[in-house]
Amino acid sequence: MDTRTRIHWSPNKRDFLFLGIIAVVITLLVLGTKERTTKPVPNDEVHINSTTRAACMTCHGEQGMRPQPPGHTKADQCFQCHRQPDDWRGASR
Ligand code: HEC
Ligand code: HEC
């Protein structure tokens, strides 16, 4: 008779607890990334017709009606981070 026993993994309570914790952690990480997503550029008349950075900054510059938040990047490529409106009229990026 073969004395070697094949190992069957039958998960016990602790295994389930462990898997549960992993699932919770992954869920939180996924939700966490989602929360940090940068706001898209609204797909409205104003935004689809603003085709230069200067145009954007008339409203989103420091003196504008809706300034970028303090400490915002000075980077020019708005659409690198803020999703370009679907109907944008400018040249493709
Ligand atoms: C005529 C003024 C004006 C211009 C020009 C303009 N915006 Fe806006 N923008 C606004 C206002 C007001 C809001 C907030 C209200 C809304 O959601 O429409 C806004 C909202 C946004 C938002 C969403 C964040 C938020 O505050 O809700 C982003 C991102 C944005 N604009 C980027 C841009 C970019 C990039 C350009 C140039 C392509 C641009 N805007 C041009 C006035 C402007
Ligand atoms: C490198 C990435 C990056 C680039 C490039 C960028 N932004 Fe942003 N922007 C962000 C992030 C991240 C936030 C959110 C900051 C915060 O909540 O403190 C933000 C926030 C904003 C907001 C305020 C949104 C709100 O919550 O009301 C406006 C308006 C905005 N950006 C406009 C612009 C414009 C206009 C340009 C181009 C000149 C631009 N951004 C380029 C990353 C970027």
Side-chain angles (χ1 to χ4, degrees), residues 39-42 44 46-47 50-53 55-60 65-66 78-79 82 88:
K39 286 194 185 167
V41 179
D44 56 21
V46 166
H47 289 93
S50 306
T51 55
T52 61
R53 179 184 196 275
C56 306
M57 294 314 276
T58 57
C59 298
H60 294 297
M65 51 151 74
R66 198 177 177 96
C78 310
F79 300 145
H82 301 279
W88 197 57

Side-chain angles (χ1 to χ4, degrees), residues 14-35:
R14 275 180 63 194
D15 294 323
F16 277 122
L17 183 65
F18 182 63
L19 292 175
I21 290 172
I22 291 180
V24 168
V25 168
I26 290 175
T27 311
L28 288 180
L29 286 176
V30 169
L31 292 179
T33 22
K34 208 176 163 198
E35 227 167 59

Side-chain angles (χ1 to χ4, degrees), residues 6 8 10 13 22 24 37 68 73 75-76 81 86:
R6 287 184 55 199
H8 287 284
S10 49
K13 256 190 193 168
I22 291 180
V24 168
T37 311
Q68 294 167 333
T73 174
D76 292 339
C81 303
D86 290 336

